[in-house]
Amino acid sequence: MSFLFGQRPQPTSAEKIAAAEAEIEMVSNMFNQLVDTCARKCIPPQYRESDLNKGESVCLDRCVAKFFDVNVKVSEKMQTEAAQRQGGAG
C-alpha cells in the first residue's frame, strides 16, 4: 500500500533480473553497433598489415567519440522528454 503515499512499489527480484538482462542486452547491442559501424568506416576490407596504421587508428578514435557523443545526446533528449511527459501527466 506504499503507492498510496506517493512511494513507488519496490521491484521484485524477477523484475530486477529482467531489468538487468535488458540493460546488458542494450549495452551489448550498442557495442556491436559501434564496432560494426566504426570498423566498416575506418578499416579497409583488405588488410595490408596486422596492426592498425595511424590513419585507421585516428579514424576509429574519432568514430567512437562521435558515437558516444550522439548516444549521450539522444539519451539526454529522451530523458528530458520522458520527464516532460511525466510532469504533464502528474
Side-chain angles (χ1 to χ4, degrees), residues 42-56:
C42 298
I43 302 173
Q46 295 82 23
Y47 296 107
R48 293 191 179 99
E49 303 170 5
S50 60
D51 295 332
L52 294 174
N53 64 36
K54 186 174 181 174
E56 293 166 340

Side-chain angles (χ1 to χ4, degrees), residues 24-76:
I24 288 170
E25 184 176 345
M26 182 182 67
V27 170
S28 295
N29 288 339
M30 185 182 74
F31 176 78
N32 290 334
Q33 185 179 8
L34 167 72
V35 169
D36 182 53
T37 300
C38 292
R40 224 178 331 107
K41 180 178 180 179
C42 298
I43 302 173
Q46 295 82 23
Y47 296 107
R48 293 191 179 99
E49 303 170 5
S50 60
D51 295 332
L52 294 174
N53 64 36
K54 186 174 181 174
E56 293 166 340
S57 182
V58 168
C59 180
L60 286 170
D61 286 344
R62 289 180 179 167
C63 183
V64 170
K66 287 180 183 180
F67 192 94
F68 280 115
D69 285 344
V70 169
N71 191 328
V72 167
K73 288 178 183 178
V74 168
S75 295
E76 288 172 352

Side-chain angles (χ1 to χ4, degrees), residues 1-16 19:
M1 297 240 290
S2 63
F3 65 89
L4 293 175
F5 302 104
Q7 297 176 352
R8 289 184 177 173
Q10 294 298 314
T12 64
S13 292
E15 290 171 333
K16 289 179 184 177

